[in-house]
Amino acid sequence: GISFNLPFCISFFRELANNAPQNLARREQMRPIEDSFTPLSSLYRFIDSGFLPPCEFQILPSEKEGHETVRLTFVGANHPGWNNVSEFEVDHREKTNMQSTKQRLAHMALASVLGPDFEESINDEKADYEEAFPWETDVPAESDVEQYLGGLLWNLQTYQDGICA
């Protein structure tokens, strides 16, 4: 069975609480999850669910001064039914936000693979990847630590017992 070193657990969670960020976003500041999908998050969801092969990002030298080339490559060319373009590249200015470049690459890849269905699902307000998405926050979201830990312990108990309690 599972056993816990209770004094250590109490000390560990107290230390976590002492180091937790103090400036948390309140629930009313958060947008619903369905409003927060990005091309990159969609790409990762399709990969995680097995609909697309894995991908990797590479940073390559560029002929342009102060620029580099960022490449997204689908590395599973032997993925069942895969007959699509496997590489996408964009120019990226050095020392600028790499996340926006990855968003552009993910958009290109998904548009190529999924075609019009993906293009129609993109909200025009999110098409300019140079800026942060409007729903992004720069502070952690508030949460209920006791509820989280209760869920974590429930999961552990479920694995230990082999049944949902």
Side-chain angles (χ1 to χ4, degrees):
I2 296 176
S3 62
F4 293 98
N5 178 340
L6 210 46
F8 170 80
C9 290
I10 292 170
S11 174
F12 177 76
F13 287 112
R14 281 192 178 137
E15 188 65 25
L16 281 179
N18 289 338
N19 292 305
Q22 300 303 310
N23 56 337
L24 300 177
R26 295 181 311 279
R27 289 198 190 278
E28 58 271 10
Q29 294 175 294
M30 306 303 291
R31 303 269 303 266
I33 187 77
E34 60 272 4
D35 289 349
S36 64
F37 294 139
T38 67
L40 193 56
S41 70
S42 296
L43 176 68
Y44 288 141
R45 272 196 326 278
F46 280 114
I47 291 169
D48 289 344
S49 61
F51 290 114
L52 292 176
C55 74
E56 62 183 26
F57 291 93
Q58 299 170 302
I59 300 173
L60 309 168
S62 175
E63 294 176 9
K64 292 169 69 175
E65 182 71 29
H67 289 247
E68 53 200 2
T69 299
V70 181
R71 177 186 295 159
L72 180 154
T73 305
F74 286 106
V75 292
N78 59 353
H79 191 270
W82 185 256
N83 58 359
N84 291 297
V85 176
S86 294
E87 286 187 353
F88 303 88
E89 291 183 352
V90 295
D91 183 64
H92 174 76
R93 283 178 291 154
E94 292 177 350
K95 299 181 176 133
T96 61
N97 185 354
M98 182 61 73
Q99 191 69 12
S100 63
T101 299
K102 287 182 173 183
Q103 293 289 357
R104 285 193 344 237
L105 282 167
H107 184 273
M108 290 168 56
L110 289 172
S112 172
V113 172
L114 303 176
D117 292 337
F118 176 72
E119 288 292 336
E120 290 172 7
S121 72
I122 290 295
N123 183 339
D124 287 339
E125 111 185 47
K126 298 177 187 174
D128 179 12
Y129 302 119
E130 296 306 316
E131 297 296 321
F133 286 85
W135 46 263
E136 289 182 314
T137 61
D138 52 2
V139 296
E142 69 178 353
S143 60
D144 184 335
V145 174
E146 287 183 26
Q147 187 177 11
Y148 172 78
L149 292 175
L152 186 61
L153 290 173
W154 180 85
N155 263 331
L156 289 172
Q157 187 70 43
T158 299
Y159 282 111
Q160 178 182 2
D161 296 345
I163 57 169
C164 294

